[in-house]
Amino acid sequence: MAAPTMQQITLRLLLLLLISIAPLVTQAGQSLSQLRVAYEPDLVPQNFLSETTAQGFAVELLEAIAGWHNFELLYLPMTKREAIERMARQEIDIILSTPFSRIQSEMMEFTDPYYSASIGILARGRSAGDASVTELAESLVALQNMTVEYEFLKNIRRIRYQVAHSQRAALELFVAGRADYFIGNTTTARHYLEAHGLQHQYHFAHTYLMPVDYSFAVQKENYVLLNILNSGIRQLKSSGAHSDLHRKWFGYQEHVSSGMLLLILKIGFWVLVGFLVIVLLGARWNRQLKREVERKTRDLSHVNASLRDQITLTQNNSEFLKQIIDSSPRGIVTLDKASRITKINHRAMKILGLETPPLGRRYDEIPLLGELLAGKAEPVLVGTRASFLGEYKEWHGAAPRPYQLRYYVYPLYQFNQEINGLILTFEDVTEEFELRRKLFEQEKSRALIRVVAGIAHEIRNPLSSIKTFVELIPRKIHSEKFQREISTYVPREIVRINELIEGLINYARPRQITLERVEVKTLLEECAILFERSILNKGFQLTYTAPEALCILVDHHQIKQVIINFLINALDALEEKSHDGARALSIDLRAFTVGKRVCIQVADNGVGMNEEGKVKMLEPFFTTKPKGTGLGLPIADQLIRENNGELKIESQQGVGTVISVFFDLAAKE
């Protein structure tokens, strides 16, 4: 085997230098199963189609890499143009034997070079004369489209072209006499000439028009596959497998080198001339190498400048993100998979009462964090993608009075969408709770005024009956019939008044939320008794039904206020519709079970709501009533949610409204 030439040694050193300083960008977590590989079927000996299978130097290199990483390869023969177009559409994953191109680099990524060759000028005859690009003027040149030689020559004037889709097709045009010269890969051209016995009819007028480095091309920003291929190429080179494959497929070059050495030894008297020729060729190669190094240096300078810009941008973005987090009015804490604190902002430290950031500590070592994340951190961190949003917690701590916290717990994802920890955000909403309590009391007072006005007549009727019986006592005291009537009706009317007064007192009494078993039928009767007489006096109907022994676990007084507010809204809707002369208006108050839930409904056939009302009905301060506050439904919705219920409202303008409240069925005692 002949020793490597100066040109080969210099190219290898340059490639090693570029590999050692090029930045490596990888992505983790992507799995590869089958890769679609495009190749030119006649680029011998790098890759070609032999019968029905792909063979060649590049094919065996890729097969070796695929064997290490356990992924399959599907080879697809096609032209270079088709391969580039399908790569742009992401229909293939790898293109074999592709020289680097700045234009194509905008749509694909290139690996490190795995084979270096040269572009030469093939001419007819066995003349030893040399030819340069300038001597090709007015000549017809056959070459392959979308190659480095095509990009180089298309800018030179007065050269005519026969452009083919492959190296083989361009060679066939040249051999067929349809072109004066062939310009392309010298290795492929030699294989073609030897395979057809034409090596004595043609010669290379210029064997090193330009260097060409062949790489694998992958889809744009597919850094995982790019890293795998680069690592495989380096491993093949370091293990010597690359050299073995190179000798297998390009052994003829060693034979040619040996033949040249033998020829030089035979014609010793040309030693001095040969030495001068070598010196001249070396000087010429050095100039070309210098230009190539300068070009590579410029490219590396651009890459380094781009990296510096990216580093600066990343630092600015990181500082900007830190400013946003520290400026947030919410406390923000992040945990890693091991439940250790990795990030905490100033607001969180203030709420937690900490002086220094507790980075690296477990969350349960901080009392408040332990309370907020109890039963929530583990489901989020194990990768179930669970989230806890809009939770509330009353915290006493060291403050003189307790304060209310609203908090959110949700996963923290890394770039490949795998859960890397969790994020906890929380804020002090004590003032919001206090404002809500005041609004609740205001709305309660407003509803109480409506209820008192509605039942005033209801209380007056039994008082009139009692007064009548009292006035008749002097005259009918000895009448047995009168005695039976007074003993029957007067106590009943007194009980009626007492129920009304107790209902008002219970409704107006302020108290904290207390969950208790409430019988739904009793709850509906307590609400209906406050409105029954008032509704009948206005010419409307009220019906209420509920099964026996149907219980829910709620705050009795809060849910009673909710139902009363719904009855007031229904009564207003009936009154508004009655102004248009409508008849047979009614309110239906009912309860029933839906699976394991209890549904309480207030239905009316009043005016209903328009589209705007249905969209904004739960927004605070939105109202269609001249004297309304717009707080009834929002407060009712808040009370229902605090009692673990769900509110649904269905309404149609001119038809009516159905308000449904769902609670879990209370377990039997």
Side-chain angles (χ1 to χ4, degrees), residues 516-568:
E516 56 183 313
R517 284 174 58 86
V518 176
E519 187 174 359
V520 177
K521 184 176 182 180
T522 302
L523 177 64
L524 298 190
E525 289 176 349
E526 291 176 354
C527 297
I529 197 173
L530 298 175
F531 289 88
E532 186 175 19
R533 180 60 58 183
S534 178
I535 291 174
L536 292 176
N537 289 340
K538 295 179 182 293
F540 309 140
Q541 293 182 352
L542 173 65
T543 60
Y544 56 94
T545 57
E548 297 286 348
L550 189 64
C551 296
I552 56 178
L553 190 66
V554 296
D555 186 292
H556 178 274
H557 300 282
Q558 288 188 353
I559 302 307
K560 183 175 180 180
Q561 179 196 347
V562 168
I563 297 174
I564 288 174
N565 285 348
F566 292 159
L567 288 172
I568 290 174

Short mmCIF file of all heavy atoms in Angstrom, two decimals, residues 516-568:
data_model
loop_
_atom_site.label_atom_id
_atom_site.label_comp_id
_atom_site.label_asym_id
_atom_site.label_seq_id
_atom_site.Cartn_x
_atom_site.Cartn_y
_atom_site.Cartn_z
N GLU A 516 -73.04 20.56 57.07
CA GLU A 516 -73.90 19.68 57.84
C GLU A 516 -74.83 18.95 56.89
O GLU A 516 -75.02 19.33 55.74
CB GLU A 516 -74.72 20.50 58.84
CG GLU A 516 -75.54 21.61 58.19
CD GLU A 516 -76.27 22.45 59.21
OE1 GLU A 516 -76.90 21.85 60.10
OE2 GLU A 516 -76.20 23.69 59.12
N ARG A 517 -75.39 17.84 57.36
CA ARG A 517 -76.36 17.09 56.56
C ARG A 517 -77.67 17.87 56.53
O ARG A 517 -78.24 18.20 57.57
CB ARG A 517 -76.61 15.70 57.16
CG ARG A 517 -75.48 14.71 56.90
CD ARG A 517 -75.74 13.41 57.65
NE ARG A 517 -77.01 12.82 57.26
CZ ARG A 517 -77.20 12.01 56.22
NH1 ARG A 517 -76.15 11.69 55.48
NH2 ARG A 517 -78.37 11.52 55.92
N VAL A 518 -78.12 18.18 55.33
CA VAL A 518 -79.35 18.97 55.16
C VAL A 518 -80.32 18.15 54.34
O VAL A 518 -79.97 17.64 53.26
CB VAL A 518 -79.03 20.31 54.46
CG1 VAL A 518 -80.33 21.08 54.20
CG2 VAL A 518 -78.08 21.14 55.30
N GLU A 519 -81.54 18.01 54.86
CA GLU A 519 -82.59 17.32 54.09
C GLU A 519 -83.13 18.28 53.04
O GLU A 519 -83.59 19.38 53.36
CB GLU A 519 -83.71 16.84 55.01
CG GLU A 519 -84.72 15.98 54.28
CD GLU A 519 -85.75 15.38 55.22
OE1 GLU A 519 -85.66 15.61 56.44
OE2 GLU A 519 -86.65 14.69 54.73
N VAL A 520 -83.06 17.87 51.79
CA VAL A 520 -83.39 18.74 50.68
C VAL A 520 -84.86 19.16 50.73
O VAL A 520 -85.19 20.32 50.48
CB VAL A 520 -83.06 18.05 49.34
CG1 VAL A 520 -83.47 18.92 48.16
CG2 VAL A 520 -81.58 17.72 49.26
N LYS A 521 -85.75 18.24 51.05
CA LYS A 521 -87.18 18.58 51.07
C LYS A 521 -87.46 19.67 52.10
O LYS A 521 -88.21 20.63 51.83
CB LYS A 521 -88.00 17.33 51.38
CG LYS A 521 -89.51 17.58 51.33
CD LYS A 521 -90.28 16.29 51.55
CE LYS A 521 -91.79 16.56 51.44
NZ LYS A 521 -92.56 15.32 51.66
N THR A 522 -86.88 19.57 53.29
CA THR A 522 -87.07 20.59 54.32
C THR A 522 -86.51 21.94 53.86
O THR A 522 -87.11 22.99 54.08
CB THR A 522 -86.37 20.15 55.62
OG1 THR A 522 -86.91 18.90 56.04
CG2 THR A 522 -86.57 21.18 56.72
N LEU A 523 -85.34 21.91 53.19
CA LEU A 523 -84.72 23.14 52.69
C LEU A 523 -85.64 23.83 51.68
O LEU A 523 -85.84 25.05 51.75
CB LEU A 523 -83.37 22.80 52.06
CG LEU A 523 -82.61 23.97 51.42
CD1 LEU A 523 -82.23 24.99 52.47
CD2 LEU A 523 -81.36 23.45 50.70
N LEU A 524 -86.23 23.07 50.77
CA LEU A 524 -87.10 23.67 49.76
C LEU A 524 -88.36 24.23 50.40
O LEU A 524 -88.86 25.29 50.00
CB LEU A 524 -87.45 22.64 48.70
CG LEU A 524 -86.29 22.06 47.88
CD1 LEU A 524 -86.83 21.25 46.71
CD2 LEU A 524 -85.37 23.14 47.38
N GLU A 525 -88.91 23.53 51.40
CA GLU A 525 -90.11 24.02 52.08
C GLU A 525 -89.83 25.33 52.81
O GLU A 525 -90.66 26.25 52.81
CB GLU A 525 -90.62 22.96 53.05
CG GLU A 525 -91.23 21.74 52.36
CD GLU A 525 -91.64 20.67 53.35
OE1 GLU A 525 -91.26 20.79 54.54
OE2 GLU A 525 -92.31 19.70 52.95
N GLU A 526 -88.65 25.44 53.47
CA GLU A 526 -88.30 26.66 54.19
C GLU A 526 -88.21 27.85 53.22
O GLU A 526 -88.59 28.98 53.57
CB GLU A 526 -86.96 26.48 54.91
CG GLU A 526 -87.02 25.51 56.07
CD GLU A 526 -85.65 25.29 56.68
OE1 GLU A 526 -84.65 25.82 56.12
OE2 GLU A 526 -85.55 24.60 57.71
N CYS A 527 -87.68 27.61 52.01
CA CYS A 527 -87.57 28.69 51.02
C CYS A 527 -88.93 29.02 50.41
O CYS A 527 -89.27 30.19 50.21
CB CYS A 527 -86.58 28.29 49.92
SG CYS A 527 -84.89 28.03 50.49
N ALA A 528 -89.73 28.00 50.14
CA ALA A 528 -91.02 28.22 49.48
C ALA A 528 -91.99 28.95 50.38
O ALA A 528 -92.79 29.78 49.91
CB ALA A 528 -91.61 26.87 49.04
N ILE A 529 -91.94 28.69 51.69
CA ILE A 529 -92.91 29.30 52.60
C ILE A 529 -92.74 30.83 52.66
O ILE A 529 -93.69 31.56 52.94
CB ILE A 529 -92.77 28.68 54.01
CG1 ILE A 529 -94.01 29.00 54.85
CG2 ILE A 529 -91.52 29.18 54.71
CD1 ILE A 529 -94.02 28.27 56.18
N LEU A 530 -91.51 31.31 52.35
CA LEU A 530 -91.28 32.74 52.37
C LEU A 530 -91.87 33.45 51.15
O LEU A 530 -92.08 34.66 51.17
CB LEU A 530 -89.77 33.03 52.42
CG LEU A 530 -89.03 32.50 53.66
CD1 LEU A 530 -87.54 32.73 53.52
CD2 LEU A 530 -89.55 33.18 54.93
N PHE A 531 -92.14 32.70 50.08
CA PHE A 531 -92.60 33.31 48.84
C PHE A 531 -94.00 32.87 48.41
O PHE A 531 -94.58 33.45 47.49
CB PHE A 531 -91.62 32.96 47.70
CG PHE A 531 -90.29 33.64 47.79
CD1 PHE A 531 -89.26 33.07 48.52
CD2 PHE A 531 -90.07 34.84 47.16
CE1 PHE A 531 -88.04 33.70 48.61
CE2 PHE A 531 -88.85 35.48 47.24
CZ PHE A 531 -87.83 34.91 47.97
N GLU A 532 -94.52 31.85 49.06
CA GLU A 532 -95.76 31.23 48.57
C GLU A 532 -96.89 32.24 48.48
O GLU A 532 -97.55 32.38 47.44
CB GLU A 532 -96.13 30.06 49.48
CG GLU A 532 -97.32 29.26 48.99
CD GLU A 532 -97.56 28.04 49.86
OE1 GLU A 532 -97.06 28.02 51.01
OE2 GLU A 532 -98.23 27.12 49.39
N ARG A 533 -97.18 32.94 49.55
CA ARG A 533 -98.31 33.87 49.56
C ARG A 533 -98.07 35.05 48.61
O ARG A 533 -98.98 35.47 47.89
CB ARG A 533 -98.53 34.38 51.00
CG ARG A 533 -99.69 35.37 51.13
CD ARG A 533 -101.02 34.74 50.70
NE ARG A 533 -101.31 33.55 51.48
CZ ARG A 533 -102.37 32.77 51.29
NH1 ARG A 533 -103.20 33.03 50.28
NH2 ARG A 533 -102.56 31.72 52.03
N SER A 534 -96.83 35.57 48.60
CA SER A 534 -96.52 36.70 47.73
C SER A 534 -96.68 36.33 46.26
O SER A 534 -97.22 37.09 45.46
CB SER A 534 -95.09 37.18 47.98
OG SER A 534 -94.75 38.23 47.11
N ILE A 535 -96.26 35.12 45.88
CA ILE A 535 -96.38 34.67 44.49
C ILE A 535 -97.84 34.49 44.11
O ILE A 535 -98.28 34.90 43.03
CB ILE A 535 -95.58 33.37 44.29
CG1 ILE A 535 -94.07 33.64 44.40
CG2 ILE A 535 -95.90 32.71 42.95
CD1 ILE A 535 -93.21 32.41 44.35
N LEU A 536 -98.64 33.92 45.01
CA LEU A 536 -100.06 33.71 44.72
C LEU A 536 -100.78 35.05 44.60
O LEU A 536 -101.68 35.21 43.75
CB LEU A 536 -100.69 32.85 45.80
CG LEU A 536 -100.21 31.38 45.85
CD1 LEU A 536 -100.85 30.65 47.02
CD2 LEU A 536 -100.54 30.65 44.55
N ASN A 537 -100.44 36.01 45.46
CA ASN A 537 -101.09 37.31 45.41
C ASN A 537 -100.83 38.04 44.09
O ASN A 537 -101.63 38.87 43.65
CB ASN A 537 -100.62 38.19 46.57
CG ASN A 537 -101.17 37.69 47.90
OD1 ASN A 537 -102.17 36.95 47.94
ND2 ASN A 537 -100.52 38.08 49.00
N LYS A 538 -99.67 37.73 43.46
CA LYS A 538 -99.36 38.37 42.19
C LYS A 538 -99.98 37.63 41.01
O LYS A 538 -99.78 37.98 39.85
CB LYS A 538 -97.85 38.46 42.00
CG LYS A 538 -97.16 39.36 43.00
CD LYS A 538 -95.65 39.38 42.78
CE LYS A 538 -94.95 40.25 43.83
NZ LYS A 538 -95.31 41.67 43.66
N GLY A 539 -100.73 36.56 41.27
CA GLY A 539 -101.39 35.82 40.21
C GLY A 539 -100.54 34.74 39.58
O GLY A 539 -100.89 34.22 38.52
N PHE A 540 -99.41 34.38 40.22
CA PHE A 540 -98.54 33.33 39.69
C PHE A 540 -98.74 32.05 40.49
O PHE A 540 -99.43 32.03 41.51
CB PHE A 540 -97.07 33.75 39.74
CG PHE A 540 -96.81 35.10 39.13
CD1 PHE A 540 -95.91 35.99 39.72
CD2 PHE A 540 -97.48 35.49 37.98
CE1 PHE A 540 -95.68 37.23 39.16
CE2 PHE A 540 -97.24 36.73 37.41
CZ PHE A 540 -96.35 37.60 38.01
N GLN A 541 -98.09 30.98 40.05
CA GLN A 541 -98.17 29.70 40.74
C GLN A 541 -96.78 29.28 41.21
O GLN A 541 -95.78 29.55 40.53
CB GLN A 541 -98.74 28.62 39.82
CG GLN A 541 -100.20 28.83 39.43
CD GLN A 541 -100.73 27.70 38.57
OE1 GLN A 541 -99.97 26.84 38.14
NE2 GLN A 541 -102.03 27.71 38.32
N LEU A 542 -96.73 28.59 42.34
CA LEU A 542 -95.47 28.06 42.88
C LEU A 542 -95.68 26.60 43.25
O LEU A 542 -96.60 26.29 44.01
CB LEU A 542 -95.02 28.86 44.12
CG LEU A 542 -93.81 28.27 44.86
CD1 LEU A 542 -92.56 28.31 43.98
CD2 LEU A 542 -93.56 29.02 46.16
N THR A 543 -94.85 25.73 42.71
CA THR A 543 -94.89 24.31 43.06
C THR A 543 -93.50 23.90 43.53
O THR A 543 -92.49 24.39 43.01
CB THR A 543 -95.29 23.45 41.86
OG1 THR A 543 -94.35 23.64 40.80
CG2 THR A 543 -96.69 23.82 41.36
N TYR A 544 -93.44 23.02 44.50
CA TYR A 544 -92.16 22.51 44.96
C TYR A 544 -92.32 21.05 45.33
O TYR A 544 -93.27 20.66 46.00
CB TYR A 544 -91.59 23.32 46.12
CG TYR A 544 -92.48 23.44 47.33
CD1 TYR A 544 -92.37 22.55 48.40
CD2 TYR A 544 -93.44 24.46 47.40
CE1 TYR A 544 -93.18 22.69 49.52
CE2 TYR A 544 -94.25 24.59 48.51
CZ TYR A 544 -94.12 23.70 49.57
OH TYR A 544 -94.93 23.81 50.67
N THR A 545 -91.39 20.23 44.85
CA THR A 545 -91.41 18.79 45.09
C THR A 545 -89.99 18.32 45.37
O THR A 545 -89.02 18.83 44.81
CB THR A 545 -91.95 18.04 43.87
OG1 THR A 545 -91.16 18.35 42.72
CG2 THR A 545 -93.40 18.39 43.60
N ALA A 546 -89.88 17.31 46.24
CA ALA A 546 -88.58 16.70 46.57
C ALA A 546 -88.83 15.35 47.21
O ALA A 546 -89.77 15.20 47.99
CB ALA A 546 -87.77 17.59 47.50
N PRO A 547 -88.00 14.35 46.92
CA PRO A 547 -88.16 13.03 47.54
C PRO A 547 -87.86 13.09 49.04
O PRO A 547 -87.15 13.98 49.53
CB PRO A 547 -87.12 12.17 46.81
CG PRO A 547 -86.77 12.92 45.58
CD PRO A 547 -86.93 14.37 45.91
N GLU A 548 -88.38 12.14 49.76
CA GLU A 548 -88.11 12.04 51.19
C GLU A 548 -86.68 11.51 51.41
O GLU A 548 -86.14 10.77 50.58
CB GLU A 548 -89.11 11.08 51.84
CG GLU A 548 -90.56 11.54 51.76
CD GLU A 548 -90.86 12.69 52.73
OE1 GLU A 548 -90.00 12.96 53.60
OE2 GLU A 548 -91.93 13.30 52.60
N ALA A 549 -86.09 11.91 52.52
CA ALA A 549 -84.79 11.40 52.99
C ALA A 549 -83.67 11.61 51.97
O ALA A 549 -82.75 10.81 51.86
CB ALA A 549 -84.90 9.93 53.35
N LEU A 550 -83.75 12.70 51.22
CA LEU A 550 -82.70 13.05 50.26
C LEU A 550 -81.83 14.13 50.90
O LEU A 550 -82.29 15.24 51.14
CB LEU A 550 -83.32 13.55 48.96
CG LEU A 550 -82.36 13.75 47.78
CD1 LEU A 550 -81.77 12.41 47.36
CD2 LEU A 550 -83.09 14.39 46.61
N CYS A 551 -80.56 13.79 51.19
CA CYS A 551 -79.72 14.70 51.98
C CYS A 551 -78.45 15.08 51.20
O CYS A 551 -77.94 14.31 50.39
CB CYS A 551 -79.32 14.05 53.31
SG CYS A 551 -80.72 13.72 54.40
N ILE A 552 -77.97 16.29 51.51
CA ILE A 552 -76.70 16.77 50.95
C ILE A 552 -75.87 17.35 52.09
O ILE A 552 -76.41 17.73 53.14
CB ILE A 552 -76.93 17.84 49.86
CG1 ILE A 552 -77.77 19.00 50.41
CG2 ILE A 552 -77.58 17.23 48.65
CD1 ILE A 552 -78.01 20.12 49.41
N LEU A 553 -74.53 17.42 51.88
CA LEU A 553 -73.61 17.93 52.89
C LEU A 553 -73.20 19.34 52.49
O LEU A 553 -72.30 19.53 51.67
CB LEU A 553 -72.39 17.02 53.00
CG LEU A 553 -71.45 17.29 54.19
CD1 LEU A 553 -72.17 17.00 55.50
CD2 LEU A 553 -70.20 16.43 54.08
N VAL A 554 -73.88 20.37 53.07
CA VAL A 554 -73.65 21.77 52.71
C VAL A 554 -73.85 22.65 53.93
O VAL A 554 -74.28 22.18 55.00
CB VAL A 554 -74.61 22.22 51.58
CG1 VAL A 554 -74.36 21.45 50.29
CG2 VAL A 554 -76.06 22.07 52.01
N ASP A 555 -73.56 23.94 53.77
CA ASP A 555 -73.91 24.94 54.78
C ASP A 555 -75.37 25.32 54.56
O ASP A 555 -75.74 25.89 53.54
CB ASP A 555 -73.00 26.17 54.66
CG ASP A 555 -73.25 27.16 55.78
OD1 ASP A 555 -74.35 27.77 55.79
OD2 ASP A 555 -72.36 27.33 56.62
N HIS A 556 -76.21 24.97 55.52
CA HIS A 556 -77.66 25.12 55.38
C HIS A 556 -78.05 26.55 55.04
O HIS A 556 -78.84 26.81 54.12
CB HIS A 556 -78.33 24.66 56.68
CG HIS A 556 -79.82 24.81 56.68
ND1 HIS A 556 -80.46 25.97 57.02
CD2 HIS A 556 -80.79 23.92 56.35
CE1 HIS A 556 -81.76 25.82 56.93
NE2 HIS A 556 -82.00 24.56 56.52
N HIS A 557 -77.50 27.52 55.74
CA HIS A 557 -77.93 28.90 55.58
C HIS A 557 -77.43 29.50 54.26
O HIS A 557 -78.14 30.29 53.63
CB HIS A 557 -77.44 29.73 56.77
CG HIS A 557 -77.98 29.24 58.08
ND1 HIS A 557 -79.26 29.50 58.51
CD2 HIS A 557 -77.41 28.47 59.06
CE1 HIS A 557 -79.46 28.93 59.69
NE2 HIS A 557 -78.35 28.30 60.04
N GLN A 558 -76.21 29.13 53.83
CA GLN A 558 -75.70 29.66 52.57
C GLN A 558 -76.50 29.13 51.38
O GLN A 558 -76.86 29.89 50.47
CB GLN A 558 -74.21 29.31 52.40
CG GLN A 558 -73.30 30.10 53.33
CD GLN A 558 -71.84 29.86 53.01
OE1 GLN A 558 -71.50 29.02 52.19
NE2 GLN A 558 -70.95 30.61 53.67
N ILE A 559 -76.79 27.85 51.36
CA ILE A 559 -77.55 27.28 50.24
C ILE A 559 -78.99 27.80 50.28
O ILE A 559 -79.62 28.00 49.23
CB ILE A 559 -77.49 25.75 50.28
CG1 ILE A 559 -76.04 25.28 50.21
CG2 ILE A 559 -78.29 25.16 49.12
CD1 ILE A 559 -75.28 25.86 49.03
N LYS A 560 -79.52 28.05 51.50
CA LYS A 560 -80.87 28.62 51.59
C LYS A 560 -80.87 30.02 50.95
O LYS A 560 -81.80 30.38 50.22
CB LYS A 560 -81.29 28.70 53.05
CG LYS A 560 -82.71 29.21 53.25
CD LYS A 560 -83.10 29.14 54.72
CE LYS A 560 -84.53 29.65 54.93
NZ LYS A 560 -84.94 29.59 56.34
N GLN A 561 -79.83 30.81 51.21
CA GLN A 561 -79.75 32.13 50.59
C GLN A 561 -79.65 32.01 49.07
O GLN A 561 -80.27 32.78 48.33
CB GLN A 561 -78.54 32.91 51.11
CG GLN A 561 -78.43 34.29 50.47
CD GLN A 561 -77.08 34.92 50.66
OE1 GLN A 561 -76.31 34.44 51.47
NE2 GLN A 561 -76.79 35.97 49.92
N VAL A 562 -78.88 31.03 48.56
CA VAL A 562 -78.74 30.83 47.13
C VAL A 562 -80.11 30.57 46.50
O VAL A 562 -80.48 31.18 45.48
CB VAL A 562 -77.77 29.67 46.84
CG1 VAL A 562 -77.85 29.25 45.37
CG2 VAL A 562 -76.34 30.06 47.19
N ILE A 563 -80.88 29.66 47.08
CA ILE A 563 -82.19 29.32 46.51
C ILE A 563 -83.13 30.52 46.58
O ILE A 563 -83.90 30.79 45.64
CB ILE A 563 -82.78 28.10 47.25
CG1 ILE A 563 -81.88 26.88 47.04
CG2 ILE A 563 -84.20 27.80 46.75
CD1 ILE A 563 -82.29 25.67 47.84
N ILE A 564 -83.08 31.28 47.69
CA ILE A 564 -83.93 32.47 47.81
C ILE A 564 -83.58 33.49 46.72
O ILE A 564 -84.46 34.09 46.10
CB ILE A 564 -83.78 33.08 49.22
CG1 ILE A 564 -84.49 32.19 50.25
CG2 ILE A 564 -84.35 34.49 49.27
CD1 ILE A 564 -84.29 32.61 51.68
N ASN A 565 -82.27 33.67 46.46
CA ASN A 565 -81.87 34.60 45.39
C ASN A 565 -82.41 34.14 44.04
O ASN A 565 -82.86 34.95 43.22
CB ASN A 565 -80.36 34.71 45.33
CG ASN A 565 -79.80 35.56 46.47
OD1 ASN A 565 -80.55 36.24 47.16
ND2 ASN A 565 -78.51 35.50 46.67
N PHE A 566 -82.36 32.82 43.79
CA PHE A 566 -82.89 32.30 42.53
C PHE A 566 -84.40 32.52 42.45
O PHE A 566 -84.93 32.83 41.37
CB PHE A 566 -82.57 30.81 42.40
CG PHE A 566 -81.10 30.52 42.21
CD1 PHE A 566 -80.58 29.26 42.50
CD2 PHE A 566 -80.23 31.49 41.77
CE1 PHE A 566 -79.24 28.98 42.34
CE2 PHE A 566 -78.89 31.23 41.60
CZ PHE A 566 -78.39 29.97 41.89
N LEU A 567 -85.12 32.36 43.57
CA LEU A 567 -86.57 32.58 43.57
C LEU A 567 -86.89 34.06 43.31
O LEU A 567 -87.86 34.37 42.62
CB LEU A 567 -87.16 32.11 44.90
CG LEU A 567 -87.21 30.59 45.13
CD1 LEU A 567 -87.64 30.28 46.55
CD2 LEU A 567 -88.14 29.93 44.12
N ILE A 568 -86.09 34.95 43.88
CA ILE A 568 -86.30 36.39 43.64
C ILE A 568 -86.12 36.71 42.16
O ILE A 568 -86.94 37.42 41.56
CB ILE A 568 -85.34 37.22 44.51
CG1 ILE A 568 -85.73 37.12 45.99
CG2 ILE A 568 -85.34 38.68 44.07
CD1 ILE A 568 -84.76 37.79 46.93
#
